[in-house]
Amino acid sequence: MSLVALPFYQKRHKHFDQSYRHIQTRYLLDEYAAKKRALSQSSSQTSSSQTSSSQARAPGLPSPGGATCRLCAKRLSSALEEEERESNESKRRYQSLVASYGEARRERFLRELAEMEGNVHEARLQAREKLDRHAVEQVDRLAWERHVFEERMWRAPEILVRLRSHTVWERSSVRLCFTVQGFPTPVVQWYKDGSLLCQAAEPGKYIIDGKYGVHTLEINRASFDDTATYSAVATNVHGQVSTSAAVVVKRFRGDEEPLRSVGLPIGLPLSSVVPYTHFDVQFLEKFGVTFRREGETVTLKCTLLVTPDLKRVQPRAEWYRDDVLLTESKWTQMFFGEGQASLSFSHLHKDDEGLYTLRIVSRGGVSDHSAFLFVRDADPLVTGAPGAPMDVRCHDANRDYVIVTWKPPNTTTEGPVIGYFVDRCEVGTDNWLQCNDAPVKVCRYPVTGLCEGRSYAFRVRAVNSAGVSRPSRVSDAVAALDPADLRRLQAVHLEGDKEIVIYQDDLEGDVHIPGPPTNVHASEISRTYVVLSWDPPAPRGKEPLTYFVEKSMVGSGSWQRVNAQVAVRSPRYAVFDLAEGKPYVFRVLSANKHGLSEPSEITPPIQAQDTVAAPSAPGRVLASRDTKTSVVVQWDRPRQDEDLLGYYVDCCVAGSNLWEPCNHKPISYNRFVVHGLTPGEQYIFRVKAVNAVGTSENSQESDAIKVQAALTVPSHPYGVTLLNCDGHSMTLGWKVPRFSGGAPILGYFIDKREARHQNWHEVNSAPVRERVLTVEGLTEGALYEFRIAASNVAGVGRPSDPSELFTCEAWTAPEPGPAYDLTFCEVRDSSLVLLWKAPVYAGGSPVSGYLVDYQEGDSGEWVTANEAATANRYLKVCGLQQGHTYVFRVRAVNASGVGKPSDASEPVLLEARPGTKEVSVGVDEQGDIYLSFDCPEMTDASRFTWCKSYEELADDEKFRVETVGDHSKLYFKNPDKADLGTYSVSVSDTEGVSSSFVLDEKELERLMALSNEIKNPTIPLKSELAYEVFDKGQVRFWLQAEHLSPDASFRFIINDREVSDSETHRIKCDKATGLIEMVMDQFTIENEGTYTVQIHDGKAKSQSSLVLIGDAFKAVLDEAEFQRKEFLRKQGPHFAEYLHWDVTEECEVHLVCKVANTRKDTAFKWLKDDVLYETESLPDLERGVCELLIPKLSKKDLGEYKATLKDERGQDVTVLEIGGKVYDDMILAMSRVCGASASPLKILCTPEGIRLQCFLKYYTDEMRVNWYHKDAKIASSEHMRAGGSEEVAWLQICEPTEKDKGKYTFEIFDGKENHQRSLDLSGAEFDEALAEFQQLKAAAFAEKNRGKVVGGLPDVVTIMEGKTLNLTCTVCGDPAPEVTWFKNDKDIELGEHFSVQVQQAKFVSVTIKGVTAEDSGKYSLSVKNKYGGEKIDVTVSVYKLGEEAPAAGAPRQAPPQRLPAAE
């Protein structure tokens, strides 16, 4: 269905915010202020008049100028005093009476007031009850009348006489006038080009007045800047209206200013004004195809050169999108001037996608430039949600109704759209309301329920199975107004030129009840709704009309009112909720305050259904070449193309099946240029048509097309060089054209002419394919110039520029001629490869080599790249600077010398091309070795050339070249060492695409090994054959392949005998995961041997073996047996964790084990070396943890520690052998604790020297301890000895000297880190320690050499009378001590009874012969020399014969007593 164009009253309507909603309040405040000012003025006048009158009639007061005698004055004074006293007394009595009377009145008034309040309250309750009852009874009857009665109290603004456009001369005045009516009185605001006019900004410039509904705007002394569109907006609480007019201010001919385009009030465009000056416009920089995303900003800009450049006169710049002229808006800003034209987008939407054209219009013609702007969807709010709809527009707006249309998004990569949500927002607010509860499936929706006179904007959101899209761009604002209101206005001409404007209703007379509507019909039919339209009744009357719509299902015989709750004010209505597939008939009734009309005529049966179907798929799709990054796509229009909104084009890389959208806004034509494609890639295209119902099926896919430039004629050859001359002919050479035009060069045409001749003469009528040609028939000594043109299938290209003049003289020089056809390949950041061809003229002897020269830029200084001449016709030049330009030349060398240099090459920029690809090497699926190269930039004319040592390969027995599209491979048929070397590839008709690869011996060996693996394939294994022992002692053999097909087979072989699936060998295979396994429940001594799995999968095969013989088998057997025992062990009490150890912070060894499955009768024991180990307390088995503490571990604690569990269910034992590595680890663990808590080093002096000590929690000699002096490790010697005790480690420095000063470090190693403590033994500390040592040494020396009794004397001796007593002992001392015996501290007199004997100054004895009772007593031995001595006492007890010997205790040595040194 065609859409109704936007009415002119909508175009000129201005939409403003909701400030008018508080205008009535403003009216009331203004009225109140005016009344208050009038009241205050009248009260002030009254008070002033009263004051003046009271002053005039003051009674009996003496005149200030009068004369009175003293007596009279005294009498008068006394009389006045008496009168005043009486007056005061009477006043007091009166006040007393008044107070008592007032109190009585107040009490009576309060009593009456209380009674009145009670009565009023009761009356109010009764009245409220009656009113509520009455309202409930009458609510249904007055429902439809309420709206009509309310309308009698107000009226929206209505313009009776609109503004009129004016054209005036500059400096004259102009007055704009219009008439408006409405209640409350509308407030009028004036706007200039949409901006509010302010009188205070330019005092006296604008005079705004308004009386009795007539409002004027007067512009004094109008200037050229006052040319604009002026608008007046009238607003009250019930709506707003606007009117506009154009004011054009003209200048006299002398002043030149660019004309301004002024919008007419009805929105019609003015005629284009072309500047009368001729301009020449050139585009210097142009905007290109642009890709952006929704929400981003972009500026399309062109730089222009305008000639002549006039400051006050410029050509006109026009911007078009898809041939539609653009104007500035809040989305787009335009700029033209200062040599550039730009179009800026502040916030892109898909509505902005299209072909943009900049046209510069002048008298000299139109210069334009076009490029496409692509706008992709913004990231969705929900993953998978569709893109936003676009092009939201409003149609057929009325008082409470508008139709909203839009275009659907492209859902190539998302799920299909299942519907749309339409949102509306009143202008001036940010409150968006959803109009439809369920998604609407077509791109068209009638929105009802609008408020008359208010302006609205709309937006749309798409919905699919993933979620809701982002909202579309907001539509232009539309006002809810009735277009018929203007058609009902009539102008009545009066006498003269006067006329009045009245409503047609005023001429209809007094009409009470309106007639029925006419022409009721369905203007739009959809599957979800039907839009009914009708004509208002005629006559309709002056009262406002409303309508009621009724429906009836055909055959039912009953009518149902559709809009029972809300009356319709517009002559159209959308009916929803119709039963699908059921026909309905409709009728409409009109109503005003007087009552309802008769029903209209019944419509024919109408059924809700889609009248517009989805379009059919477009026809054949053709794709053709355009540029290196674009393709032209054309298609046939669909057979059903009614109401098409456009087309969407999708593309896909051939073979990928990943479709991407090419355009994001429907295009209306059946030809589209797809940009942004990858050069050299092949693409497939498809198209789908779009209308309001949705999108069509996809068209058939186009043929795959390669992205490359379209065919053109080749460019001209260049570098024409004279290679040889014999006096009658010249041999010429030239270079291929830089661009072949997209097709192979078929040949060349050569023209010649003599010097000073104008005409060119054809040398060859048929094209020559080679780029070397000998021109015959020349005149010796004449000068000739030549030009050359290339041809391809597109035609003959432009000829080259004329060559330089060549003289036809025979070459006879012995040196060679110039090399020619210098070309470059493999241009990188710091190197390139230069190629050339041998000279045609060799000279007197063969060419033996070449020298290559180059110069940087225009420096003029040639540098030779190779010191020695190269025999090759190529050279890789390295060491060049990136980003610099170089020129090269080549000189041939023979036995006669260096020949003439070649023509200088074209300049080459040392810079690697972006996206440079290199030759890759690999092996294909058949095992063939190849070199590969890709060139996405190639064209149909491009050709891959493979070379070895930069000579084209021509040996078909050794190599094979395969080229498919932009991919070429060089295969080695029988690779061997003869194939080593440098291989290169170049691609013609490109910008020097080339690369090389060096195949060395190591790389060839790797490739051949890989080739052998592929030709003899094996099934890759993730894991080789392995075994696993289960908890119950079962053994599982398994392997896993990378991949197995369903047809794969396998065999398990044990000792050359295949086994199958059975109870003893449970075999299974999961081909999905490649897992093959065999489980043996009983693994015994008979299972020793070799286990093999053989796999076959097509041609590939694999085998894996596991040898279980000897120790390997014993390990598996032991583990299986262990697991079986473990399983049985855990059935009774057992150790959940076996015995292990740790070291506490107190440096004690802690043995721990955990038990499980214990009971109260379970017995636990500790044993060491099979002997019961007593502990202070028994472990708590309920905790499950048993502990044994070993304090101060030493070697005496070595042994086997056991923990045993036992009850009737069984027993378990865990053993820990403390010794060997376990003991060493314990020592290291204790070292860790001790090292962390070691004290600082301390000094202790001894007689031997100085001792450095470090106190530890525990120390043993097994700890790894080192001492360092000045960071040098100290080895144990007589001078320095290391040792320690239980809690201290020390270093003994014997006989210290000055050399022993320095830093000493104690280090203890815990197996992971070193713990160190240091002390600086120098300075005062060393001196003090040394002095103390010397004192102790002297004391020790004296102690060592003094006289001492070594031993031999008891403390008590008992002997019988008559016996001989001999006391003998050993003494020592240096010098030999003096020995003296005493009895009872007195010297013994020696004789026969007492005798003393000293032998060898060592053995001393005393003998008492014939002992008697007198010999009893204390005997003392004194041993003494100059260093001192000692004294020993011996008690002798003598008893008689026959007496009982005194009891003697255990014998013990007599203790010595220290004697001082002799003086």
Side-chain angles (χ1 to χ4, degrees):
M1 178 179 179
S2 61
L3 300 177
V4 179
L6 190 69
F8 70 90
Y9 72 90
Q10 287 283 4
K11 294 182 180 179
R12 68 171 179 263
H13 185 81
K14 295 292 182 179
H15 307 278
F16 297 92
D17 61 14
Q18 58 175 354
S19 61
Y20 62 80
R21 297 195 181 182
H22 305 290
I23 293 176
Q24 188 173 11
T25 305
R26 235 177 13 251
Y27 291 157
L28 295 175
L29 291 176
D30 293 344
E31 227 174 281
Y32 174 75
K35 290 180 180 179
K36 190 173 183 181
R37 284 195 301 271
L39 183 61
S40 63
Q41 290 175 2
S42 61
S43 61
S44 62
Q45 292 174 1
T46 303
S47 61
S48 62
S49 63
Q50 289 177 355
T51 303
S52 60
S53 62
S54 64
Q55 290 177 355
R57 61 174 186 268
L61 292 178
S63 172
T68 305
C69 64
R70 294 181 179 179
L71 181 61
C72 292
K74 185 174 181 181
R75 291 176 180 176
L76 181 60
S77 169
S78 61
L80 288 175
E81 289 178 358
E82 184 67 23
E83 185 179 354
E84 185 176 357
R85 281 194 301 271
E86 292 178 357
S87 176
N88 291 337
E89 183 66 24
S90 64
K91 185 181 292 185
R92 281 194 300 272
R93 288 195 303 270
Y94 176 76
Q95 288 177 351
S96 176
L97 292 174
V98 169
S100 60
Y101 178 74
E103 181 65 23
R105 287 188 62 187
R106 189 178 67 81
E107 291 178 356
R108 185 173 64 255
F109 175 76
L110 291 177
R111 184 168 57 255
E112 292 175 355
L113 181 62
E115 294 177 358
M116 185 181 297
E117 285 180 353
N119 295 334
V120 169
H121 180 67
E122 185 177 358
R124 282 181 177 176
L125 292 178
Q126 294 175 358
R128 173 60 60 190
E129 184 178 357
K130 291 181 179 181
L131 289 175
D132 290 344
R133 189 183 311 110
H134 181 73
V136 171
E137 293 174 355
Q138 300 298 326
V139 64
D140 294 333
R141 184 173 61 82
L142 298 178
W144 71 274
E145 295 179 357
R146 183 163 53 252
H147 185 67
V148 176
F149 292 152
E150 289 176 355
E151 286 185 344
R152 297 176 59 187
M153 306 300 297
W154 54 265
R155 189 177 184 88
E158 183 178 10
I159 295 178
L160 304 179
V161 179
R162 294 189 170 274
L163 292 175
R164 184 168 56 86
S165 299
H166 291 73
T167 301
V168 298
W169 291 106
E170 195 174 25
R171 299 185 183 89
S172 61
S173 298
V174 61
R175 175 178 292 181
L176 301 178
C177 176
F178 80 103
T179 304
V180 65
Q181 68 178 9
F183 181 81
T185 303
V187 175
V188 176
Q189 293 177 312
W190 291 87
Y191 293 83
K192 176 183 177 182
D193 285 339
S195 300
L196 183 66
L197 282 179
C198 181
Q199 292 179 274
E202 298 182 62
K205 178 69 176 180
Y206 303 105
I207 300 176
I208 299 175
D209 192 14
K211 293 181 180 179
Y212 311 112
V214 179
H215 298 266
T216 60
L217 168 66
E218 185 173 355
I219 306 173
N220 291 322
R221 295 183 60 82
S223 64
F224 189 79
D225 293 334
D226 293 321
T227 300
T229 298
Y230 291 84
S231 304
V233 180
T235 311
N236 67 7
V237 294
H238 304 297
Q240 67 176 7
V241 292
S242 63
T243 178
S244 302
V247 175
V248 179
V249 181
K250 300 178 63 177
R251 278 185 174 175
F252 293 101
R253 199 62 172 169
D255 300 330
E256 183 180 314
E257 281 286 345
L259 297 179
R260 301 189 180 187
S261 176
V262 181
L264 293 177
I266 60 174
L268 298 176
L270 292 174
S271 59
S272 299
V273 179
V274 178
Y276 51 80
T277 305
H278 180 94
F279 290 97
D280 182 19
V281 179
Q282 297 180 12
F283 288 94
L284 302 180
E285 295 182 5
K286 305 177 182 179
F287 60 89
V289 177
T290 307
F291 296 87
R292 287 293 186 273
R293 188 182 293 272
E294 280 188 308
E296 297 179 350
T297 60
V298 69
T299 299
L300 306 180
K301 183 172 64 175
C302 282
T303 304
L304 310 171
L305 177 61
V306 181
T307 307
D309 184 12
L310 303 178
K311 293 183 178 180
R312 304 186 67 181
V313 179
Q314 291 286 331
R316 187 174 71 253
E318 297 176 345
W319 287 91
Y320 293 82
R321 179 175 63 232
D322 298 329
D323 295 331
V324 177
L325 181 64
L326 298 179
T327 58
E328 284 197 350
S329 66
K330 66 177 181 179
W331 310 111
T332 57
Q333 293 81 37
M334 301 178 185
F335 175 78
F336 179 58
E338 301 178 2
Q340 66 178 11
S342 64
L343 176 65
S344 300
F345 299 85
S346 59
H347 191 281
L348 282 173
H349 285 80
K350 289 186 294 186
D351 305 61
D352 299 317
E353 182 173 285
L355 181 66
Y356 284 81
T357 302
L358 171 62
R359 295 177 182 172
I360 308 299
V361 183
S362 70
R363 189 176 181 183
V366 177
S367 301
D368 60 4
H369 168 67
S370 301
F372 210 92
L373 171 63
F374 293 88
V375 182
R376 295 178 297 169
D377 287 302
D379 293 334
L381 300 176
V382 179
T383 303
M390 67 211 80
D391 199 13
V392 180
R393 298 187 180 184
C394 301
H395 310 271
D396 201 14
N398 216 291
R399 284 193 176 102
D400 56 359
Y401 170 90
V402 68
I403 292 180
V404 180
T405 63
W406 60 90
K407 292 180 180 179
N410 193 353
T411 56
T412 302
T413 58
E414 299 85 14
V417 174
I418 60 177
Y420 302 89
F421 286 118
V422 180
D423 304 332
R424 76 169 186 239
C425 176
E426 191 172 342
V427 173
T429 70
D430 294 327
N431 185 21
W432 286 94
L433 300 177
Q434 187 171 301
C435 301
N436 52 322
D437 296 330
V440 58
K441 298 184 180 300
V442 296
C443 299
R444 182 183 182 90
Y445 185 73
V447 179
T448 59
L450 306 180
C451 295
E452 183 179 1
R454 299 184 183 179
S455 299
Y456 295 89
F458 298 88
R459 70 183 188 187
V460 183
R461 295 170 291 146
V463 185
N464 68 0
S465 58
V468 183
S469 73
R470 291 179 178 270
S472 66
R473 173 179 279 180
V474 178
S475 70
D476 293 334
V478 63
L481 299 174
D482 188 358
D485 288 347
L486 293 179
R487 292 196 296 269
R488 290 166 47 219
L489 289 175
Q490 290 187 0
V492 178
H493 294 277
L494 303 177
E495 296 180 358
D497 296 334
K498 297 182 179 179
E499 62 179 20
I500 61 174
V501 178
I502 63 175
Y503 274 98
Q504 187 177 357
D505 308 344
D506 299 331
L507 303 177
E508 293 178 350
D510 192 9
V511 177
H512 293 286
I513 298 178
T518 59
N519 190 25
V520 181
H521 64 283
S523 59
E524 184 175 346
I525 300 177
S526 166
R527 187 170 59 180
T528 56
Y529 64 88
V530 172
V531 177
L532 297 177
S533 299
W534 58 87
D535 296 334
R540 56 172 289 164
K542 298 180 181 179
E543 303 298 334
L545 281 180
T546 57
Y547 302 94
F548 293 94
V549 179
E550 295 180 347
K551 68 178 180 180
S552 174
M553 187 181 296
V554 173
S556 65
S558 62
W559 290 92
Q560 178 184 359
R561 183 163 293 181
V562 177
N563 59 324
Q565 301 297 327
V566 180
V568 179
R569 297 177 54 82
S570 301
R572 57 183 53 78
Y573 186 73
V575 182
F576 292 86
D577 299 328
L578 299 177
E580 187 174 355
K582 302 291 184 180
Y584 289 84
V585 292
F586 301 88
R587 66 185 185 186
V588 184
L589 298 87
S590 58
N592 62 10
K593 70 176 184 178
H594 299 292
L596 282 170
S597 71
E598 294 295 326
S600 67
E601 295 183 0
I602 300 174
T603 64
I606 300 172
Q607 183 174 341
Q609 59 186 359
D610 288 332
T611 57
V612 178
S616 58
R620 183 182 57 172
V621 180
L622 298 176
S624 57
R625 291 161 52 176
D626 185 41
T627 67
K628 288 186 176 181
T629 58
S630 63
V631 168
V632 178
V633 181
Q634 302 181 67
W635 57 92
D636 296 335
R637 296 183 182 274
R639 295 178 181 177
Q640 300 176 4
D641 60 350
E642 62 273 9
D643 299 323
L644 274 185
L645 298 177
Y647 302 91
Y648 281 125
V649 182
D650 300 334
C651 69
C652 169
V653 176
S656 67
N657 200 30
L658 297 176
W659 291 93
E660 294 290 339
C662 298
N663 61 316
H664 306 84
K665 176 182 175 183
I667 54 175
S668 58
Y669 32 85
N670 63 334
R671 181 182 183 275
F672 187 66
V673 180
V674 181
H675 292 272
L677 304 178
T678 304
E681 192 67 76
Q682 289 192 340
Y683 286 88
I684 300 173
F685 299 88
R686 68 184 185 190
V687 185
K688 51 192 173 186
V690 183
N691 67 1
V693 177
T695 58
S696 70
E697 296 292 331
N698 292 316
S699 68
Q700 293 183 354
E701 298 175 1
S702 69
D703 295 333
I705 184 172
K706 188 176 182 179
V707 181
Q708 52 189 2
L711 293 176
T712 61
V713 296
S715 61
H716 62 83
Y718 64 101
V720 181
T721 305
L722 179 61
L723 303 179
N724 194 9
C725 181
D726 59 4
H728 302 285
S729 64
M730 291 184 182
T731 301
L732 303 177
W734 60 89
K735 294 183 179 180
V736 295
R738 289 185 172 89
F739 303 102
S740 65
I745 301 294
L746 299 179
Y748 300 91
F749 294 92
I750 297 90
D751 298 335
K752 68 176 180 179
R753 71 179 178 185
E754 290 191 43
R756 299 183 302 277
H757 286 204
Q758 297 296 324
N759 297 328
W760 290 92
H761 300 281
E762 186 180 77
V763 173
N764 59 319
S765 57
V768 294
R769 299 187 63 86
E770 300 296 330
R771 287 183 289 110
V772 176
L773 178 68
T774 300
V775 181
E776 304 286 350
L778 303 179
T779 303
E780 187 174 2
L783 297 175
Y784 292 90
E785 59 181 351
F786 302 88
R787 69 180 187 184
I788 304 172
S791 66
N792 63 6
V793 293
V796 180
R798 185 172 63 88
S800 65
D801 295 333
S803 67
E804 61 178 284
L805 292 173
F806 298 134
T807 304
C808 186
E809 293 180 351
W811 288 8
T812 58
E815 294 83 6
Y820 69 101
D821 197 14
L822 275 64
T823 57
F824 303 100
C825 65
E826 303 175 38
V827 178
R828 301 297 184 261
D829 290 338
S830 61
S831 66
L832 56 77
V833 176
L834 177 66
L835 308 175
W836 62 88
K837 291 185 178 179
V840 174
Y841 177 75
S845 58
V847 175
S848 59
Y850 301 90
L851 296 175
V852 177
D853 304 330
Y854 67 87
Q855 70 174 3
E856 183 177 349
D858 299 329
S859 63
E861 180 182 354
W862 289 95
V863 179
T864 302
N866 53 328
E867 297 180 358
T870 177
N872 302 318
R873 292 197 300 277
Y874 66 88
L875 181 68
K876 184 172 185 178
V877 183
C878 302
L880 305 178
Q881 296 185 18
Q882 181 182 359
H884 290 218
T885 302
Y886 293 88
V887 177
F888 292 83
R889 71 181 185 185
V890 179
R891 293 174 293 157
V893 180
N894 64 5
S896 301
V898 180
K900 179 182 178 182
S902 66
D903 291 344
S905 68
E906 64 270 18
V908 58
L909 177 65
L910 256 292
E911 191 172 52
R913 296 173 63 255
T916 298
K917 295 182 178 295
E918 302 293 346
V919 174
S920 61
V921 63
V923 181
D924 64 7
E925 296 178 353
Q926 285 72 35
D928 295 332
I929 301 174
Y930 65 86
L931 300 178
S932 175
F933 187 70
D934 296 333
C935 179
E937 297 89 348
M938 69 179 301
T939 64
D940 289 344
S942 301
R943 187 174 68 90
F944 287 92
T945 301
W946 287 94
C947 302
K948 181 180 181 182
S949 300
Y950 297 96
E951 294 289 339
E952 187 172 355
L953 295 173
D955 189 353
D956 294 337
E957 296 181 359
K958 296 282 293 181
F959 304 100
R960 183 179 85 254
V961 177
E962 291 184 2
T963 301
V964 179
D966 58 0
H967 185 73
S968 181
K969 289 183 178 181
L970 174 66
Y971 284 92
F972 295 85
K973 293 183 176 179
N974 296 299
D976 53 25
K977 290 187 177 181
D979 295 323
L980 301 179
T982 300
Y983 291 85
S984 62
V985 61
S986 59
V987 185
S988 60
D989 199 41
T990 60
E991 297 179 2
V993 175
S994 57
S995 182
S996 64
F997 181 82
V998 178
L999 183 62
D1000 55 18
E1001 185 174 355
K1002 183 178 180 181
E1003 182 68 12
L1004 181 61
E1005 290 178 358
R1006 184 187 70 82
L1007 294 172
M1008 292 184 69
L1010 183 59
S1011 174
N1012 182 61
E1013 291 181 5
I1014 296 176
K1015 290 181 178 180
N1016 301 289
T1018 60
I1019 300 175
L1021 300 178
K1022 286 186 178 178
S1023 61
E1024 296 287 341
L1025 184 61
Y1027 72 89
E1028 179 183 5
V1029 180
F1030 290 159
D1031 294 342
K1032 296 183 180 180
Q1034 300 167 318
V1035 180
R1036 171 180 175 252
F1037 296 90
W1038 64 278
L1039 63 77
Q1040 187 174 12
E1042 291 282 353
H1043 174 73
L1044 289 180
S1045 69
D1047 299 329
S1049 61
F1050 67 95
R1051 296 195 308 161
F1052 253 106
I1053 300 173
I1054 303 177
N1055 293 331
D1056 299 330
R1057 184 176 62 86
E1058 183 177 358
V1059 295
S1060 58
D1061 187 17
S1062 62
E1063 292 183 359
T1064 56
H1065 303 85
R1066 290 184 282 113
I1067 301 174
K1068 64 179 180 179
C1069 174
D1070 186 356
K1071 294 181 179 179
T1073 59
L1075 186 65
I1076 303 172
E1077 65 177 6
M1078 177 181 67
V1079 178
M1080 300 175 64
D1081 291 334
Q1082 297 294 328
F1083 192 76
T1084 64
I1085 192 68
E1086 297 176 354
N1087 300 121
E1088 183 176 7
T1090 301
Y1091 293 76
T1092 303
V1093 176
Q1094 295 179 349
I1095 310 174
H1096 294 269
D1097 192 357
K1099 295 181 180 181
K1101 58 184 179 179
S1102 182
Q1103 176 175 308
S1104 181
S1105 297
L1106 180 63
V1107 179
L1108 296 181
I1109 298 176
D1111 294 340
F1113 173 75
K1114 188 176 183 302
V1116 179
L1117 186 63
D1118 292 344
E1119 185 177 356
E1121 185 65 25
F1122 172 76
Q1123 292 296 343
R1124 277 195 295 270
K1125 291 181 179 179
E1126 279 290 292
F1127 176 75
L1128 296 175
R1129 180 180 68 86
K1130 292 182 180 179
Q1131 304 308 308
H1134 64 276
F1135 289 97
E1137 287 186 11
Y1138 287 116
L1139 197 58
H1140 59 281
W1141 61 270
D1142 60 6
V1143 175
T1144 66
E1145 290 299 322
E1146 298 302 323
C1147 209
E1148 297 174 335
V1149 176
H1150 191 212
L1151 302 185
V1152 183
C1153 61
K1154 291 185 179 180
V1155 299
N1157 198 16
T1158 60
R1159 299 188 309 198
K1160 292 184 177 180
D1161 60 342
T1162 302
F1164 178 86
K1165 295 180 182 180
W1166 287 106
L1167 296 95
K1168 177 185 178 184
D1169 295 333
D1170 295 328
V1171 177
L1172 184 64
Y1173 193 95
E1174 298 293 341
T1175 57
E1176 294 181 358
S1177 61
L1178 293 176
D1180 185 4
L1181 298 183
E1182 293 183 359
R1183 288 179 53 239
V1185 179
C1186 301
E1187 301 174 337
L1188 177 64
L1189 196 65
I1190 303 177
K1192 301 186 185 307
L1193 179 71
S1194 63
K1195 288 189 176 181
K1196 65 181 178 60
D1197 298 311
L1198 297 178
E1200 183 182 72
Y1201 289 80
K1202 289 182 181 180
T1204 63
L1205 281 173
K1206 186 177 181 181
D1207 60 21
E1208 62 182 6
R1209 296 171 297 165
Q1211 63 179 2
D1212 197 7
V1213 179
T1214 176
V1215 179
L1216 177 63
E1217 181 75 26
I1218 297 181
K1221 186 176 185 306
V1222 175
Y1223 181 75
D1224 294 340
D1225 292 342
M1226 291 180 176
I1227 295 298
L1228 291 176
M1230 291 191 297
S1231 299
R1232 187 177 306 112
V1233 176
C1234 293
S1237 61
S1239 70
L1241 293 183
K1242 298 182 178 180
I1243 301 173
L1244 176 65
C1245 295
T1246 65
E1248 289 83 9
I1250 300 175
R1251 176 174 293 184
L1252 304 181
Q1253 297 183 126
C1254 181
F1255 291 92
L1256 308 169
K1257 289 186 177 180
Y1258 180 66
Y1259 175 76
T1260 178
D1261 293 340
E1262 284 82 8
M1263 292 182 177
R1264 301 182 187 179
V1265 172
N1266 292 312
W1267 288 89
Y1268 295 87
H1269 179 219
K1270 298 179 180 178
D1271 297 330
K1273 186 176 180 181
I1274 299 174
S1276 183
S1277 63
E1278 294 183 358
H1279 182 58
M1280 290 189 180
R1281 300 193 309 273
S1285 60
E1286 193 174 272
E1287 294 182 352
V1288 64
W1290 48 260
L1291 174 68
Q1292 182 70 47
I1293 306 174
C1294 300
E1295 299 295 331
T1297 63
E1298 291 291 331
K1299 294 182 180 180
D1300 298 321
K1301 289 184 178 180
K1303 177 184 176 183
Y1304 286 85
T1305 302
F1306 169 71
E1307 179 184 85
I1308 182 170
F1309 179 64
D1310 63 5
K1312 293 183 179 179
E1313 60 179 332
N1314 294 312
H1315 303 272
Q1316 294 183 342
R1317 299 292 185 269
S1318 298
L1319 175 67
D1320 188 6
L1321 186 61
S1322 60
E1325 288 188 359
F1326 179 79
D1327 295 341
E1328 292 175 1
L1330 183 61
E1332 185 177 355
F1333 152 68
Q1334 290 174 350
Q1335 292 177 1
L1336 294 175
K1337 180 181 177 182
F1341 182 79
E1343 175 65 22
K1344 178 181 178 183
N1345 293 322
R1346 70 178 176 84
K1348 294 190 289 289
V1349 177
V1350 177
L1353 292 178
D1355 57 345
V1356 176
V1357 177
T1358 302
I1359 190 171
M1360 188 174 62
E1361 282 185 340
K1363 300 294 184 178
T1364 301
L1365 176 63
N1366 182 267
L1367 299 176
T1368 304
C1369 66
T1370 305
V1371 299
C1372 64
D1374 187 18
E1378 179 182 350
V1379 178
T1380 306
W1381 283 94
F1382 298 93
K1383 178 182 179 185
N1384 297 326
D1385 298 328
K1386 295 181 180 180
D1387 292 340
I1388 297 178
E1389 296 181 0
L1390 299 178
E1392 292 182 1
H1393 187 66
F1394 290 97
S1395 61
V1396 176
Q1397 186 177 4
V1398 177
Q1399 298 179 359
Q1400 302 175 4
K1402 184 177 181 182
F1403 304 104
V1404 177
S1405 63
V1406 59
T1407 303
I1408 305 175
K1409 295 180 180 180
V1411 177
T1412 63
E1414 289 82 5
D1415 294 326
S1416 297
K1418 181 179 72 174
Y1419 290 82
S1420 300
L1421 173 64
S1422 173
V1423 180
K1424 185 177 182 182
N1425 62 9
K1426 65 178 181 178
Y1427 298 112
E1430 62 185 17
K1431 180 180 179 182
I1432 293 180
D1433 295 333
V1434 179
T1435 302
V1436 177
S1437 175
V1438 180
Y1439 67 92
K1440 296 181 179 181
L1441 180 62
E1443 292 181 359
E1444 184 178 356
R1452 56 182 181 177
Q1453 188 174 357
Q1457 299 178 12
R1458 185 75 177 268
L1459 298 177
E1463 296 182 0

